[in-house]
Amino acid sequence: MHLYRSALLRFADDGTALYEEDGLLATAPDDQGVQRVHAAGAWRALAPLYLPQASQPVTHWPGRIIAPGFVDMHVHYPQLDVIGSPAEGLLPWLENYTFPHESRFADAGYAAGVAGFFLDELQRNGVTTALTFATSHPGSVDALMAQAQARRLRLIAGKVLQDRHSPDGVRDATEQSLIDTEALIQRWHGKGRLGYAITPRFAPTSTPQQLSGAGALAARYPDVWVQSHVAENQQEIRWAQELFPGTRSYLDVYARVGLLRVRAVYAHCIHFDDEDRAAMRESGAVAAVCPTSNLFLGSGQFDFAGADRMGFGYGLASDVGGGTSFSPFHTMLAAYYVGREGQTKTGLSLAPQRLWWLHTAGAARALGLDGVVGNLQPGCEADFVVLNPAATPLLARRTAGAAHLDELLFAMIVLGDDRLIERTVIA
Ligand code: GUN
Ligand code: FE
């Protein structure tokens, strides 16, 4: 057993934050060799019980905070070189920057180089689990999964499906794309901590045949994830409606082919009506809310109050490279701005504990990984960050003046970036 002593942040089942000024985290390996949380709580109460069982000296981090690793519910690993590409909106951004760049991932060596940089960047920013798009090239999945496995990360990824309205170099072939997807599921899903996600890019770039095939795979492999984009941008929505006449809404395109189910994660979900929201709730599908991307691409804003009123699940995500930052602090702050903007209409404002939960335990719950990652309660896999609340002069000054937990969390959300993450510990 390994004992850590520092301040400790974790979450109760109802999402409220639990904070120990002087905390103890005890971890022990499971039979796969993954460190799991054995106990978490106040040092004073737990130390007498666990000190005698410790196999090593206590790791003591005075002045630091141990907190759950962040969970990014939607990110594109191949797009880290696309961050900050200006465009009028989603569709020109895809055409002018994203598709040409993603075509480079046909080269496995290139993909491996980007995959390594991407995983470093996640860890530097305290992100320990991500649901990520690769590109349409099966080798882009292999490149990422192999390196994630070597790092023992809990990562979920999938080959993008896009067999139409896509340029040469990224467009795949309907039948082969489904064969490749199934082979990748068998190669990677459930290997160590890895998971696979069936990944139709979005309805406009898939034929009805490819979407139906993806739906058939989603039925055959119910514990595999599904990820896509929906209702992000008005122009995109009009296009989807033209391509799929007779569907009730854009979301309904996915519902009709069996892609709306538990473990299906839809990025954006901005331009929804209540029937769409009810369909999310009834199916168990969830939203990945990507506020930096929505602000950057001018897509619109997620309706937090609408989601809560209709009761479907969601969590936070970077959506790099439409999103502008890998830092969960930047994403939480952008979510706050978006929720705040909506407040004039709905009275909703996202509290710091809720923002933090939506990027850790709440995001894990939305992914179906409740009690596995995103928290530091007994049984959870021990993926955590060590925060240095004095990482910059202003952070030091502002966090020292925090009168209670919400002020401390909010100071870190507003002022934080990768400098706040002193170390990231995996399993
Ligand atoms: N819709 C289809 N593809 C993409 C993508 O790569 N990023 C975003 N934000 N939306 C998309
Ligand atoms: Fe995206």
Side-chain angles (χ1 to χ4, degrees), residues 377-426:
Q377 296 286 43
C380 288
E381 296 171 350
D383 287 343
F384 61 86
V385 292
V386 181
L387 304 171
N388 177 7
T392 70
L394 183 56
L395 264 169
R397 186 180 170 101
R398 182 65 190 90
T399 57
H404 52 73
L405 179 60
D406 278 334
E407 286 190 11
L408 174 65
L409 296 181
F410 219 171
M412 291 191 284
I413 289 170
V414 172
L415 297 174
D417 56 31
D418 51 312
R419 291 170 294 180
L420 195 49
I421 307 291
E422 187 167 87
R423 93 183 53 222
T424 300
V425 179
I426 303 295

mmCIF file of all heavy atoms in Angstrom, residues 377-426:
data_model
loop_
_atom_site.group_PDB
_atom_site.id
_atom_site.type_symbol
_atom_site.label_atom_id
_atom_site.label_comp_id
_atom_site.label_asym_id
_atom_site.label_seq_id
_atom_site.Cartn_x
_atom_site.Cartn_y
_atom_site.Cartn_z
ATOM 1 N N GLN A 377 -12.578 8.116 -4.622
ATOM 2 C CA GLN A 377 -13.261 7.330 -3.599
ATOM 3 C C GLN A 377 -12.729 5.896 -3.648
ATOM 4 O O GLN A 377 -12.209 5.458 -4.686
ATOM 5 C CB GLN A 377 -14.772 7.339 -3.850
ATOM 6 C CG GLN A 377 -15.404 8.727 -3.740
ATOM 7 C CD GLN A 377 -15.513 9.217 -2.302
ATOM 8 O OE1 GLN A 377 -14.574 9.064 -1.507
ATOM 9 N NE2 GLN A 377 -16.633 9.820 -1.955
ATOM 10 N N PRO A 378 -12.850 5.152 -2.548
ATOM 11 C CA PRO A 378 -12.338 3.780 -2.544
ATOM 12 C C PRO A 378 -12.852 2.974 -3.745
ATOM 13 O O PRO A 378 -14.033 3.057 -4.097
ATOM 14 C CB PRO A 378 -12.877 3.217 -1.226
ATOM 15 C CG PRO A 378 -12.960 4.422 -0.335
ATOM 16 C CD PRO A 378 -13.381 5.559 -1.243
ATOM 17 N N GLY A 379 -11.954 2.251 -4.387
ATOM 18 C CA GLY A 379 -12.300 1.458 -5.564
ATOM 19 C C GLY A 379 -11.920 2.121 -6.869
ATOM 20 O O GLY A 379 -11.694 1.443 -7.865
ATOM 21 N N CYS A 380 -11.859 3.452 -6.888
ATOM 22 C CA CYS A 380 -11.493 4.147 -8.129
ATOM 23 C C CYS A 380 -10.047 3.843 -8.494
ATOM 24 O O CYS A 380 -9.187 3.678 -7.635
ATOM 25 C CB CYS A 380 -11.606 5.666 -7.959
ATOM 26 S SG CYS A 380 -13.289 6.262 -7.869
ATOM 27 N N GLU A 381 -9.786 3.805 -9.801
ATOM 28 C CA GLU A 381 -8.406 3.710 -10.266
ATOM 29 C C GLU A 381 -7.682 5.004 -9.881
ATOM 30 O O GLU A 381 -8.249 6.093 -9.983
ATOM 31 C CB GLU A 381 -8.389 3.497 -11.779
ATOM 32 C CG GLU A 381 -9.036 2.167 -12.154
ATOM 33 C CD GLU A 381 -9.267 1.970 -13.636
ATOM 34 O OE1 GLU A 381 -9.098 2.934 -14.408
ATOM 35 O OE2 GLU A 381 -9.631 0.841 -14.033
ATOM 36 N N ALA A 382 -6.442 4.844 -9.436
ATOM 37 C CA ALA A 382 -5.742 5.993 -8.844
ATOM 38 C C ALA A 382 -5.063 6.850 -9.908
ATOM 39 O O ALA A 382 -3.846 6.869 -10.046
ATOM 40 C CB ALA A 382 -4.738 5.506 -7.798
ATOM 41 N N ASP A 383 -5.874 7.561 -10.671
ATOM 42 C CA ASP A 383 -5.388 8.573 -11.607
ATOM 43 C C ASP A 383 -5.622 9.923 -10.943
ATOM 44 O O ASP A 383 -6.771 10.304 -10.712
ATOM 45 C CB ASP A 383 -6.198 8.550 -12.912
ATOM 46 C CG ASP A 383 -5.896 7.344 -13.792
ATOM 47 O OD1 ASP A 383 -4.860 6.688 -13.585
ATOM 48 O OD2 ASP A 383 -6.711 7.073 -14.695
ATOM 49 N N PHE A 384 -4.530 10.624 -10.623
ATOM 50 C CA PHE A 384 -4.773 11.904 -9.939
ATOM 51 C C PHE A 384 -3.738 12.952 -10.319
ATOM 52 O O PHE A 384 -2.715 12.647 -10.930
ATOM 53 C CB PHE A 384 -4.850 11.701 -8.416
ATOM 54 C CG PHE A 384 -3.616 11.157 -7.750
ATOM 55 C CD1 PHE A 384 -2.597 11.998 -7.335
ATOM 56 C CD2 PHE A 384 -3.485 9.789 -7.517
ATOM 57 C CE1 PHE A 384 -1.465 11.503 -6.690
ATOM 58 C CE2 PHE A 384 -2.355 9.274 -6.877
ATOM 59 C CZ PHE A 384 -1.345 10.133 -6.467
ATOM 60 N N VAL A 385 -4.088 14.187 -9.993
ATOM 61 C CA VAL A 385 -3.165 15.303 -10.221
ATOM 62 C C VAL A 385 -2.730 15.868 -8.880
ATOM 63 O O VAL A 385 -3.438 15.730 -7.869
ATOM 64 C CB VAL A 385 -3.821 16.424 -11.064
ATOM 65 C CG1 VAL A 385 -4.071 15.933 -12.487
ATOM 66 C CG2 VAL A 385 -5.098 16.942 -10.434
ATOM 67 N N VAL A 386 -1.558 16.468 -8.891
ATOM 68 C CA VAL A 386 -1.080 17.210 -7.729
ATOM 69 C C VAL A 386 -1.054 18.677 -8.146
ATOM 70 O O VAL A 386 -0.308 19.060 -9.052
ATOM 71 C CB VAL A 386 0.314 16.724 -7.292
ATOM 72 C CG1 VAL A 386 0.768 17.487 -6.063
ATOM 73 C CG2 VAL A 386 0.297 15.224 -7.032
ATOM 74 N N LEU A 387 -1.924 19.448 -7.524
ATOM 75 C CA LEU A 387 -2.048 20.869 -7.867
ATOM 76 C C LEU A 387 -1.146 21.683 -6.956
ATOM 77 O O LEU A 387 -1.078 21.423 -5.746
ATOM 78 C CB LEU A 387 -3.492 21.335 -7.668
ATOM 79 C CG LEU A 387 -4.574 20.560 -8.428
ATOM 80 C CD1 LEU A 387 -5.962 21.001 -7.961
ATOM 81 C CD2 LEU A 387 -4.423 20.784 -9.928
ATOM 82 N N ASN A 388 -0.491 22.675 -7.541
ATOM 83 C CA ASN A 388 0.260 23.634 -6.734
ATOM 84 C C ASN A 388 -0.475 24.971 -6.784
ATOM 85 O O ASN A 388 -0.327 25.727 -7.743
ATOM 86 C CB ASN A 388 1.680 23.799 -7.266
ATOM 87 C CG ASN A 388 2.443 24.861 -6.468
ATOM 88 O OD1 ASN A 388 1.935 25.359 -5.461
ATOM 89 N ND2 ASN A 388 3.632 25.197 -6.931
ATOM 90 N N PRO A 389 -1.269 25.259 -5.747
ATOM 91 C CA PRO A 389 -2.081 26.482 -5.789
ATOM 92 C C PRO A 389 -1.234 27.755 -5.704
ATOM 93 O O PRO A 389 -1.778 28.852 -5.827
ATOM 94 C CB PRO A 389 -3.005 26.342 -4.573
ATOM 95 C CG PRO A 389 -2.320 25.390 -3.670
ATOM 96 C CD PRO A 389 -1.475 24.487 -4.517
ATOM 97 N N ALA A 390 0.071 27.592 -5.526
ATOM 98 C CA ALA A 390 0.967 28.755 -5.517
ATOM 99 C C ALA A 390 1.862 28.751 -6.761
ATOM 100 O O ALA A 390 2.963 29.302 -6.749
ATOM 101 C CB ALA A 390 1.809 28.745 -4.244
ATOM 102 N N ALA A 391 1.373 28.173 -7.840
ATOM 103 C CA ALA A 391 2.219 27.995 -9.032
ATOM 104 C C ALA A 391 2.643 29.315 -9.665
ATOM 105 O O ALA A 391 3.694 29.382 -10.303
ATOM 106 C CB ALA A 391 1.488 27.128 -10.058
ATOM 107 N N THR A 392 1.833 30.342 -9.548
ATOM 108 C CA THR A 392 2.238 31.663 -10.055
ATOM 109 C C THR A 392 2.049 32.660 -8.910
ATOM 110 O O THR A 392 1.296 32.391 -7.964
ATOM 111 C CB THR A 392 1.357 32.115 -11.242
ATOM 112 O OG1 THR A 392 0.043 32.426 -10.758
ATOM 113 C CG2 THR A 392 1.260 31.044 -12.330
ATOM 114 N N PRO A 393 2.713 33.811 -8.993
ATOM 115 C CA PRO A 393 2.555 34.784 -7.897
ATOM 116 C C PRO A 393 1.089 35.162 -7.656
ATOM 117 O O PRO A 393 0.642 35.230 -6.511
ATOM 118 C CB PRO A 393 3.369 35.992 -8.381
ATOM 119 C CG PRO A 393 4.381 35.415 -9.330
ATOM 120 C CD PRO A 393 3.715 34.247 -9.994
ATOM 121 N N LEU A 394 0.346 35.367 -8.723
ATOM 122 C CA LEU A 394 -1.051 35.780 -8.545
ATOM 123 C C LEU A 394 -1.904 34.635 -7.992
ATOM 124 O O LEU A 394 -2.747 34.844 -7.113
ATOM 125 C CB LEU A 394 -1.619 36.294 -9.874
ATOM 126 C CG LEU A 394 -3.057 36.823 -9.826
ATOM 127 C CD1 LEU A 394 -3.224 37.931 -8.788
ATOM 128 C CD2 LEU A 394 -3.494 37.311 -11.200
ATOM 129 N N LEU A 395 -1.671 33.404 -8.488
ATOM 130 C CA LEU A 395 -2.389 32.252 -7.925
ATOM 131 C C LEU A 395 -2.094 32.110 -6.443
ATOM 132 O O LEU A 395 -2.996 31.859 -5.629
ATOM 133 C CB LEU A 395 -1.959 30.965 -8.641
ATOM 134 C CG LEU A 395 -2.821 30.461 -9.793
ATOM 135 C CD1 LEU A 395 -2.083 29.342 -10.536
ATOM 136 C CD2 LEU A 395 -4.188 29.962 -9.318
ATOM 137 N N ALA A 396 -0.815 32.266 -6.079
ATOM 138 C CA ALA A 396 -0.424 32.115 -4.671
ATOM 139 C C ALA A 396 -1.169 33.133 -3.812
ATOM 140 O O ALA A 396 -1.726 32.807 -2.764
ATOM 141 C CB ALA A 396 1.090 32.302 -4.526
ATOM 142 N N ARG A 397 -1.183 34.354 -4.290
ATOM 143 C CA ARG A 397 -1.810 35.442 -3.530
ATOM 144 C C ARG A 397 -3.323 35.233 -3.434
ATOM 145 O O ARG A 397 -3.919 35.335 -2.368
ATOM 146 C CB ARG A 397 -1.484 36.741 -4.257
ATOM 147 C CG ARG A 397 -1.910 37.987 -3.556
ATOM 148 C CD ARG A 397 -1.518 39.186 -4.417
ATOM 149 N NE ARG A 397 -2.116 40.382 -3.876
ATOM 150 C CZ ARG A 397 -1.454 41.276 -3.136
ATOM 151 N NH1 ARG A 397 -0.166 41.119 -2.904
ATOM 152 N NH2 ARG A 397 -2.076 42.330 -2.651
ATOM 153 N N ARG A 398 -3.922 34.882 -4.571
ATOM 154 C CA ARG A 398 -5.379 34.762 -4.604
ATOM 155 C C ARG A 398 -5.870 33.521 -3.851
ATOM 156 O O ARG A 398 -6.864 33.578 -3.141
ATOM 157 C CB ARG A 398 -5.857 34.726 -6.073
ATOM 158 C CG ARG A 398 -7.349 34.651 -6.233
ATOM 159 C CD ARG A 398 -8.033 35.908 -5.696
ATOM 160 N NE ARG A 398 -9.487 35.765 -5.627
ATOM 161 C CZ ARG A 398 -10.149 35.303 -4.572
ATOM 162 N NH1 ARG A 398 -9.487 34.881 -3.484
ATOM 163 N NH2 ARG A 398 -11.458 35.237 -4.579
ATOM 164 N N THR A 399 -5.182 32.384 -4.008
ATOM 165 C CA THR A 399 -5.645 31.169 -3.311
ATOM 166 C C THR A 399 -5.406 31.284 -1.807
ATOM 167 O O THR A 399 -6.196 30.764 -1.022
ATOM 168 C CB THR A 399 -4.992 29.884 -3.868
ATOM 169 O OG1 THR A 399 -3.572 30.004 -3.787
ATOM 170 C CG2 THR A 399 -5.409 29.629 -5.313
ATOM 171 N N ALA A 400 -4.324 31.983 -1.410
ATOM 172 C CA ALA A 400 -4.081 32.176 0.025
ATOM 173 C C ALA A 400 -5.219 32.983 0.653
ATOM 174 O O ALA A 400 -5.530 32.820 1.834
ATOM 175 C CB ALA A 400 -2.745 32.875 0.253
ATOM 176 N N GLY A 401 -5.848 33.840 -0.153
ATOM 177 C CA GLY A 401 -6.939 34.672 0.378
ATOM 178 C C GLY A 401 -8.300 34.022 0.281
ATOM 179 O O GLY A 401 -9.301 34.650 0.635
ATOM 180 N N ALA A 402 -8.364 32.780 -0.188
ATOM 181 C CA ALA A 402 -9.676 32.128 -0.349
ATOM 182 C C ALA A 402 -10.247 31.770 1.017
ATOM 183 O O ALA A 402 -9.584 31.118 1.818
ATOM 184 C CB ALA A 402 -9.538 30.881 -1.216
ATOM 185 N N ALA A 403 -11.482 32.194 1.262
ATOM 186 C CA ALA A 403 -12.078 32.000 2.585
ATOM 187 C C ALA A 403 -12.726 30.626 2.730
ATOM 188 O O ALA A 403 -12.917 30.134 3.828
ATOM 189 C CB ALA A 403 -13.110 33.097 2.857
ATOM 190 N N HIS A 404 -13.098 30.010 1.643
ATOM 191 C CA HIS A 404 -13.732 28.686 1.721
ATOM 192 C C HIS A 404 -13.495 27.944 0.409
ATOM 193 O O HIS A 404 -12.915 28.494 -0.540
ATOM 194 C CB HIS A 404 -15.219 28.800 2.060
ATOM 195 C CG HIS A 404 -15.976 29.733 1.187
ATOM 196 N ND1 HIS A 404 -16.303 29.440 -0.110
ATOM 197 C CD2 HIS A 404 -16.444 30.996 1.427
ATOM 198 C CE1 HIS A 404 -16.953 30.457 -0.638
ATOM 199 N NE2 HIS A 404 -17.044 31.424 0.271
ATOM 200 N N LEU A 405 -13.962 26.698 0.355
ATOM 201 C CA LEU A 405 -13.631 25.815 -0.769
ATOM 202 C C LEU A 405 -14.080 26.392 -2.113
ATOM 203 O O LEU A 405 -13.329 26.338 -3.093
ATOM 204 C CB LEU A 405 -14.263 24.434 -0.546
ATOM 205 C CG LEU A 405 -14.015 23.420 -1.672
ATOM 206 C CD1 LEU A 405 -12.525 23.167 -1.863
ATOM 207 C CD2 LEU A 405 -14.745 22.113 -1.380
ATOM 208 N N ASP A 406 -15.287 26.934 -2.188
ATOM 209 C CA ASP A 406 -15.747 27.469 -3.479
ATOM 210 C C ASP A 406 -14.837 28.588 -3.969
ATOM 211 O O ASP A 406 -14.559 28.689 -5.166
ATOM 212 C CB ASP A 406 -17.193 27.971 -3.376
ATOM 213 C CG ASP A 406 -18.189 26.826 -3.518
ATOM 214 O OD1 ASP A 406 -17.838 25.814 -4.156
ATOM 215 O OD2 ASP A 406 -19.304 26.944 -2.979
ATOM 216 N N GLU A 407 -14.366 29.414 -3.061
ATOM 217 C CA GLU A 407 -13.452 30.495 -3.473
ATOM 218 C C GLU A 407 -12.129 29.920 -3.972
ATOM 219 O O GLU A 407 -11.556 30.406 -4.946
ATOM 220 C CB GLU A 407 -13.203 31.464 -2.314
ATOM 221 C CG GLU A 407 -14.395 32.365 -2.043
ATOM 222 C CD GLU A 407 -14.071 33.491 -1.055
ATOM 223 O OE1 GLU A 407 -12.878 33.706 -0.722
ATOM 224 O OE2 GLU A 407 -15.033 34.143 -0.616
ATOM 225 N N LEU A 408 -11.648 28.890 -3.281
ATOM 226 C CA LEU A 408 -10.384 28.256 -3.698
ATOM 227 C C LEU A 408 -10.534 27.628 -5.088
ATOM 228 O O LEU A 408 -9.702 27.836 -5.981
ATOM 229 C CB LEU A 408 -9.984 27.191 -2.669
ATOM 230 C CG LEU A 408 -8.763 26.343 -3.016
ATOM 231 C CD1 LEU A 408 -7.501 27.206 -3.063
ATOM 232 C CD2 LEU A 408 -8.588 25.207 -2.001
ATOM 233 N N LEU A 409 -11.611 26.864 -5.279
ATOM 234 C CA LEU A 409 -11.818 26.207 -6.583
ATOM 235 C C LEU A 409 -11.994 27.245 -7.687
ATOM 236 O O LEU A 409 -11.447 27.110 -8.790
ATOM 237 C CB LEU A 409 -13.047 25.285 -6.537
ATOM 238 C CG LEU A 409 -12.968 24.099 -5.577
ATOM 239 C CD1 LEU A 409 -14.252 23.265 -5.657
ATOM 240 C CD2 LEU A 409 -11.757 23.210 -5.853
ATOM 241 N N PHE A 410 -12.743 28.282 -7.383
ATOM 242 C CA PHE A 410 -13.004 29.295 -8.410
ATOM 243 C C PHE A 410 -11.731 30.050 -8.776
ATOM 244 O O PHE A 410 -11.483 30.338 -9.960
ATOM 245 C CB PHE A 410 -14.085 30.266 -7.932
ATOM 246 C CG PHE A 410 -15.039 30.657 -9.023
ATOM 247 C CD1 PHE A 410 -16.189 31.372 -8.714
ATOM 248 C CD2 PHE A 410 -14.816 30.326 -10.354
ATOM 249 C CE1 PHE A 410 -17.090 31.741 -9.707
ATOM 250 C CE2 PHE A 410 -15.706 30.692 -11.358
ATOM 251 C CZ PHE A 410 -16.840 31.405 -11.031
ATOM 252 N N ALA A 411 -10.899 30.344 -7.777
ATOM 253 C CA ALA A 411 -9.624 31.036 -8.072
ATOM 254 C C ALA A 411 -8.788 30.183 -9.015
ATOM 255 O O ALA A 411 -8.164 30.700 -9.959
ATOM 256 C CB ALA A 411 -8.872 31.317 -6.774
ATOM 257 N N MET A 412 -8.790 28.861 -8.798
ATOM 258 C CA MET A 412 -7.991 27.984 -9.673
ATOM 259 C C MET A 412 -8.614 27.875 -11.060
ATOM 260 O O MET A 412 -7.907 27.833 -12.068
ATOM 261 C CB MET A 412 -7.814 26.607 -9.021
ATOM 262 C CG MET A 412 -6.906 26.669 -7.791
ATOM 263 S SD MET A 412 -6.399 25.053 -7.168
ATOM 264 C CE MET A 412 -7.870 24.501 -6.344
ATOM 265 N N ILE A 413 -9.957 27.824 -11.132
ATOM 266 C CA ILE A 413 -10.625 27.756 -12.438
ATOM 267 C C ILE A 413 -10.313 29.018 -13.251
ATOM 268 O O ILE A 413 -10.004 28.956 -14.438
ATOM 269 C CB ILE A 413 -12.152 27.581 -12.252
ATOM 270 C CG1 ILE A 413 -12.456 26.170 -11.733
ATOM 271 C CG2 ILE A 413 -12.901 27.854 -13.559
ATOM 272 C CD1 ILE A 413 -13.902 25.962 -11.274
ATOM 273 N N VAL A 414 -10.376 30.165 -12.591
ATOM 274 C CA VAL A 414 -10.233 31.427 -13.325
ATOM 275 C C VAL A 414 -8.776 31.714 -13.677
ATOM 276 O O VAL A 414 -8.481 32.198 -14.774
ATOM 277 C CB VAL A 414 -10.851 32.585 -12.504
ATOM 278 C CG1 VAL A 414 -10.554 33.935 -13.151
ATOM 279 C CG2 VAL A 414 -12.373 32.392 -12.386
ATOM 280 N N LEU A 415 -7.859 31.386 -12.775
ATOM 281 C CA LEU A 415 -6.450 31.756 -12.992
ATOM 282 C C LEU A 415 -5.592 30.585 -13.472
ATOM 283 O O LEU A 415 -4.439 30.773 -13.826
ATOM 284 C CB LEU A 415 -5.842 32.301 -11.688
ATOM 285 C CG LEU A 415 -6.473 33.587 -11.144
ATOM 286 C CD1 LEU A 415 -5.877 33.928 -9.771
ATOM 287 C CD2 LEU A 415 -6.259 34.749 -12.105
ATOM 288 N N GLY A 416 -6.159 29.382 -13.490
ATOM 289 C CA GLY A 416 -5.332 28.188 -13.692
ATOM 290 C C GLY A 416 -5.043 27.865 -15.150
ATOM 291 O O GLY A 416 -5.780 28.246 -16.054
ATOM 292 N N ASP A 417 -3.951 27.150 -15.338
ATOM 293 C CA ASP A 417 -3.600 26.549 -16.630
ATOM 294 C C ASP A 417 -2.632 25.412 -16.321
ATOM 295 O O ASP A 417 -2.604 24.939 -15.181
ATOM 296 C CB ASP A 417 -3.032 27.590 -17.612
ATOM 297 C CG ASP A 417 -1.826 28.323 -17.038
ATOM 298 O OD1 ASP A 417 -1.070 27.720 -16.239
ATOM 299 O OD2 ASP A 417 -1.634 29.501 -17.387
ATOM 300 N N ASP A 418 -1.848 24.992 -17.298
ATOM 301 C CA ASP A 418 -0.977 23.833 -17.073
ATOM 302 C C ASP A 418 0.040 24.060 -15.942
ATOM 303 O O ASP A 418 0.540 23.094 -15.375
ATOM 304 C CB ASP A 418 -0.276 23.436 -18.378
ATOM 305 C CG ASP A 418 0.403 24.605 -19.048
ATOM 306 O OD1 ASP A 418 -0.213 25.682 -19.192
ATOM 307 O OD2 ASP A 418 1.569 24.456 -19.440
ATOM 308 N N ARG A 419 0.334 25.309 -15.607
ATOM 309 C CA ARG A 419 1.300 25.551 -14.513
ATOM 310 C C ARG A 419 0.768 25.089 -13.166
ATOM 311 O O ARG A 419 1.530 24.803 -12.243
ATOM 312 C CB ARG A 419 1.647 27.045 -14.448
ATOM 313 C CG ARG A 419 2.466 27.511 -15.641
ATOM 314 C CD ARG A 419 2.594 29.011 -15.688
ATOM 315 N NE ARG A 419 1.283 29.636 -15.931
ATOM 316 C CZ ARG A 419 1.096 30.962 -16.031
ATOM 317 N NH1 ARG A 419 2.133 31.785 -15.909
ATOM 318 N NH2 ARG A 419 -0.108 31.442 -16.261
ATOM 319 N N LEU A 420 -0.543 25.026 -13.041
ATOM 320 C CA LEU A 420 -1.155 24.582 -11.784
ATOM 321 C C LEU A 420 -0.979 23.074 -11.551
ATOM 322 O O LEU A 420 -1.067 22.592 -10.431
ATOM 323 C CB LEU A 420 -2.650 24.958 -11.837
ATOM 324 C CG LEU A 420 -3.541 24.960 -10.637
ATOM 325 C CD1 LEU A 420 -2.937 25.692 -9.471
ATOM 326 C CD2 LEU A 420 -4.870 25.619 -11.007
ATOM 327 N N ILE A 421 -0.762 22.356 -12.638
ATOM 328 C CA ILE A 421 -0.614 20.886 -12.551
ATOM 329 C C ILE A 421 0.842 20.561 -12.290
ATOM 330 O O ILE A 421 1.676 20.577 -13.204
ATOM 331 C CB ILE A 421 -1.062 20.212 -13.872
ATOM 332 C CG1 ILE A 421 -2.473 20.644 -14.283
ATOM 333 C CG2 ILE A 421 -0.948 18.683 -13.762
ATOM 334 C CD1 ILE A 421 -3.593 20.145 -13.415
ATOM 335 N N GLU A 422 1.168 20.276 -11.050
ATOM 336 C CA GLU A 422 2.572 20.014 -10.735
ATOM 337 C C GLU A 422 2.989 18.618 -11.160
ATOM 338 O O GLU A 422 4.109 18.388 -11.613
ATOM 339 C CB GLU A 422 2.811 20.180 -9.231
ATOM 340 C CG GLU A 422 4.260 20.097 -8.860
ATOM 341 C CD GLU A 422 4.470 20.574 -7.438
ATOM 342 O OE1 GLU A 422 4.340 19.759 -6.512
ATOM 343 O OE2 GLU A 422 4.729 21.786 -7.241
ATOM 344 N N ARG A 423 2.080 17.675 -11.013
ATOM 345 C CA ARG A 423 2.367 16.325 -11.516
ATOM 346 C C ARG A 423 1.067 15.581 -11.767
ATOM 347 O O ARG A 423 0.026 15.921 -11.210
ATOM 348 C CB ARG A 423 3.321 15.591 -10.572
ATOM 349 C CG ARG A 423 2.734 14.758 -9.527
ATOM 350 C CD ARG A 423 3.712 14.095 -8.567
ATOM 351 N NE ARG A 423 4.676 14.953 -7.901
ATOM 352 C CZ ARG A 423 5.959 14.630 -7.731
ATOM 353 N NH1 ARG A 423 6.434 13.499 -8.214
ATOM 354 N NH2 ARG A 423 6.775 15.423 -7.070
ATOM 355 N N THR A 424 1.155 14.602 -12.643
ATOM 356 C CA THR A 424 -0.009 13.768 -12.987
ATOM 357 C C THR A 424 0.405 12.327 -12.729
ATOM 358 O O THR A 424 1.438 11.875 -13.232
ATOM 359 C CB THR A 424 -0.384 13.972 -14.469
ATOM 360 O OG1 THR A 424 -0.703 15.359 -14.660
ATOM 361 C CG2 THR A 424 -1.588 13.138 -14.849
ATOM 362 N N VAL A 425 -0.386 11.634 -11.924
ATOM 363 C CA VAL A 425 -0.040 10.262 -11.541
ATOM 364 C C VAL A 425 -1.062 9.304 -12.157
ATOM 365 O O VAL A 425 -2.266 9.485 -12.008
ATOM 366 C CB VAL A 425 -0.041 10.115 -10.000
ATOM 367 C CG1 VAL A 425 0.289 8.699 -9.583
ATOM 368 C CG2 VAL A 425 0.960 11.103 -9.381
ATOM 369 N N ILE A 426 -0.570 8.330 -12.891
ATOM 370 C CA ILE A 426 -1.431 7.383 -13.608
ATOM 371 C C ILE A 426 -1.403 6.017 -12.918
ATOM 372 O O ILE A 426 -0.332 5.415 -12.785
ATOM 373 C CB ILE A 426 -0.947 7.206 -15.074
ATOM 374 C CG1 ILE A 426 -0.911 8.547 -15.817
ATOM 375 C CG2 ILE A 426 -1.799 6.180 -15.819
ATOM 376 C CD1 ILE A 426 -2.243 9.197 -16.009
#
